[in-house]
């Protein structure tokens, strides 16, 4: 059936069609699952696999709703939209013509930990849930649009990142198809954890792609530095053509290297309100912008992902070289100077270990005729 969801807090509006939709009779996966697969079409003729992802767990969802009602209206249940509209933060949003750093200070999303005006303008200009998203000013956003945007940024910035850095421009994210309530729909990927037992040449290929993604996140034409606050086996995913992408962008932070001086200093980020506490512990300390270096994400990947992907896959002495490097990387570097060199070193070890065949459709048959591969 066709989807036209009601306008309520946190809801985006979009049109699409599923072969089955979310209702109790369909026996959905248990509430503890944050993601599951579906089939989607926008023309009623061709179907595509998609991931339907909860922006919060059921526990976080229920806790946030209770927190809104009890802290703002002193009741067990209430109209969430009416309650949030009364807040001081949203009243400031209502009267603001432009999204500025002071309007997002204290929000828990890593995306907004070190906000620059350039980044916030990009969010408003590319916000896909409004008819006209081409302006840096919020004149084209209705009051409800503003509340949707604020709520989404407070709960989970994953769908916003997919909108402002789209895959069609070369960013390593799955395609954003829409959102409904606390659900977001994007192109389907298989989580990296499913490849821990893959053949050596597949593991080498995925590890090389992972290193390339980390390099692009630190060095890109727009001068944004992306870093992870957490990585796990579900952070990255692989498309059916073998191409690796960032599957879960909720733990991505951004530092604007072009406007670093205009970002909020840490002391200005201590303002907390109900929007700061919807999914995060209100007492948790903010990560200092100055504490994030180029080695940050690489060290986490070397600790959490690459050993599981590459362990025991290759013959000696190659395996010994890989293990030694990963151990050095996981222990951290003395400074950020050697990060790119470290990525290049491991890449040179891995390149001869991958193969060129139809399993790697994203680069086949180009790999047969190019030294790049």
């Amino acid at each position: 059936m066709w989807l036209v969801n009601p306008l309520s807090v946190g809801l985006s509006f979009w049109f699409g069609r599923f072969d089955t939709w979310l209702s109790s009779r369909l026996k959905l996966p248990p509430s503890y699952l944050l993601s599951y697969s579906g089939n989607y079409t926008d023309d009623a003729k061709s179907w595509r696999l998609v991931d339907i992802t909860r922006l919060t767990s059921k526990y976080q969802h229920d806790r946030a709703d209770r927190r809104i009602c009890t802290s703002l209206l002193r009741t067990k249940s209430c109209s969430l939209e009416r309650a949030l509209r009364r807040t001081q933060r949203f009243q400031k949003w209502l009267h603001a013509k432009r999204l500025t750093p002071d309007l997002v200070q204290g929000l828990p999303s890593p995306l907004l930990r070190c906000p620059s005006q350039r980044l916030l303008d990009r969010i408003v200009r590319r916000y896909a849930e409004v008819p006209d998203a081409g302006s840096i000013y919020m004149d084209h956003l209705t009051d409800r649009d503003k509340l949707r945007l604020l709520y989404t940024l407070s709960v989970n910035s994953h769908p916003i990142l997919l909108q402002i850095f789209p895959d069609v421009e070369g960013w390593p994210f799955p395609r954003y198809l829409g959102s409904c309530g606390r659900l977001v729909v994007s192109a389907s990927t298989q989580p990296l954890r499913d490849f821990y037992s893959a053949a050596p040449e597949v593991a080498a290929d995925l590890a090389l792609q992972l290193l390339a993604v980390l390099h692009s996140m630190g060095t890109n034409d727009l001068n944004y530095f992306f870093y992870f606050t957490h990585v796990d086996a579900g952070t990255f995913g692989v498309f059916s053509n073998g191409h690796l992408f960032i599957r879960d962008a909720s733990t991505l932070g951004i530092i604007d290297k072009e406007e670093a001086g205009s970002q909020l200093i840490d002391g200005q980020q201590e303002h907390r309100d109900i929007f700061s506490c919807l999914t995060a512990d209100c007492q948790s300390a903010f990560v200092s912008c100055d504490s994030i270096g180029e080695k940050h994400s690489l060290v986490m990947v070397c600790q959490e992902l690459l050993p599981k992907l590459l362990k025991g896959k290759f013959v000696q002495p190659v395996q010994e070289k890989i293990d030694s490097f990963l151990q050095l990387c996981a222990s951290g570097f003395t400074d950020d100077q050697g990060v790119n060199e470290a990525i290049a070193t491991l890449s040179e070890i891995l390149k001869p270990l991958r193969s060129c065949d139809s399993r790697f459709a994203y680069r086949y048959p180009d790999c047969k005729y190019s030294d790049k591969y």
Side-chain angles (χ1 to χ4, degrees):
M1 60 178 161
W2 292 93
L3 294 180
V4 184
N5 49 291
L7 300 177
S8 59
V9 62
L11 295 178
S12 307
F13 60 89
W14 58 286
F15 299 88
R17 188 179 180 183
F18 288 85
D19 57 349
T20 55
W21 183 232
L22 311 180
S23 67
S24 57
R25 65 180 176 81
L26 297 177
K27 297 181 180 180
L28 283 178
S31 58
Y32 63 81
L33 289 180
L34 289 178
S35 180
Y36 42 95
S37 298
N39 288 316
Y40 169 83
T41 183
D42 53 11
D43 59 11
K45 296 179 182 178
S46 60
W47 296 85
R48 73 186 84 169
L49 281 174
V50 296
D51 286 334
I52 305 171
T53 305
R54 303 179 194 268
L55 294 182
T56 64
S57 67
K58 181 67 164 56
Y59 168 75
Q60 289 174 317
H61 174 160
D62 294 341
R63 186 180 66 169
D65 288 357
R66 288 194 301 269
R67 186 171 280 168
I68 291 170
C69 294
T70 56
S71 65
L72 297 179
L73 298 182
R74 311 297 181 191
T75 60
K76 291 185 178 180
S77 62
C78 66
S79 165
L80 304 182
E81 180 173 355
R82 190 176 305 157
L84 293 175
R85 279 179 174 272
R86 296 180 180 182
T87 61
Q88 183 179 12
R89 186 190 293 268
F90 183 64
Q91 289 302 311
K92 288 182 178 179
W93 273 62
L94 280 180
H95 296 97
K97 292 184 66 66
R98 193 174 183 183
L99 186 60
T100 52
D102 62 293
L103 295 177
V104 299
Q105 63 173 309
L107 296 185
S109 169
L111 171 65
L112 303 172
R113 185 66 63 246
C114 315
S116 69
Q117 188 59 59
R118 187 169 71 112
L119 177 62
L120 297 179
D121 287 345
R122 189 177 183 88
I123 291 174
V124 172
R125 193 174 65 249
R126 296 194 165 206
Y127 185 46
E129 312 303 338
V130 293
D132 176 15
S135 172
I136 63 173
Y137 298 102
M138 295 196 289
D139 298 336
H140 59 290
L141 273 65
T142 66
D143 293 357
R144 188 164 285 176
D145 292 333
K146 290 182 179 180
L147 188 54
R148 286 193 194 99
L149 177 57
L150 171 57
Y151 189 85
T152 303
L153 289 172
S154 303
V155 170
N156 189 327
S157 59
H158 172 75
I160 303 300
L161 271 158
L162 268 56
Q163 293 173 48
I164 65 176
F165 297 107
D167 66 307
V168 294
E169 293 181 1
W171 298 97
F173 302 112
R175 178 161 300 182
Y176 172 80
L177 297 174
S179 56
C180 182
R182 293 180 175 93
L183 297 173
V184 60
V185 182
S186 58
S188 178
T189 59
Q190 195 172 352
L192 186 63
R193 69 170 68 89
D194 293 353
F195 294 86
Y196 284 166
S197 59
E201 62 272 20
V202 175
D205 183 82
L206 292 175
L208 277 166
Q209 289 191 70
L210 187 52
L211 294 174
V213 167
L214 293 182
H215 178 73
S216 69
M217 294 288 91
T219 306
N220 53 76
D221 292 341
L222 294 184
N223 268 332
Y224 288 118
F225 174 69
F226 296 73
Y227 66 92
F228 287 99
T229 58
H230 170 78
V231 296
D232 58 38
T235 301
F236 296 90
V238 183
F239 285 130
S240 58
N241 65 357
H243 207 171
L244 180 138
F245 277 66
I246 296 173
R247 187 170 185 256
D248 179 5
S250 63
T251 63
L252 267 181
I254 299 180
I255 294 175
D256 189 341
K257 294 191 289 187
E258 202 166 285
E259 294 187 8
S262 66
Q263 295 172 174
L264 287 172
I265 60 174
D266 295 327
Q268 291 177 282
Q269 299 190 39
E270 294 304 323
H271 172 71
R272 306 290 179 97
D273 62 6
I274 187 62
F275 291 100
S276 310
C277 310
L278 293 179
T279 57
D281 180 0
C282 294
Q283 305 305 316
S284 58
F286 285 127
V287 177
S288 169
C289 301
D290 295 334
S291 68
I292 306 299
E294 290 187 15
K295 66 180 182 180
H296 189 82
S297 296
L298 179 61
V299 170
M300 282 195 293
V301 166
C302 286
Q303 292 172 341
E304 301 295 330
L305 303 182
L306 288 178
K308 298 171 184 175
L309 185 63
L310 299 175
K311 183 178 180 180
K313 290 288 174 67
F314 310 101
V315 297
Q316 301 295 356
V318 174
Q319 186 68 55
E320 185 178 354
K321 289 182 180 179
I322 293 174
D323 293 344
S324 176
F325 175 88
L326 292 180
Q327 186 175 7
L328 174 64
C329 175
S331 64
F333 300 92
T334 54
D335 53 43
D336 290 333
Q337 296 297 319
V339 173
N340 288 333
E341 289 85 349
I343 291 178
T345 298
L346 183 56
S347 296
E348 288 305 311
I349 298 174
L350 293 171
K351 280 180 182 178
L353 303 176
R354 62 180 180 175
S355 63
C356 178
D357 58 62
S358 58
R359 286 176 299 171
F360 310 100
Y362 79 95
R363 59 180 174 87
Y364 180 84
D366 294 351
C367 53
K368 282 191 171 185
Y369 311 105
S370 174
D371 293 337
K372 174 183 176 183
Y373 301 104

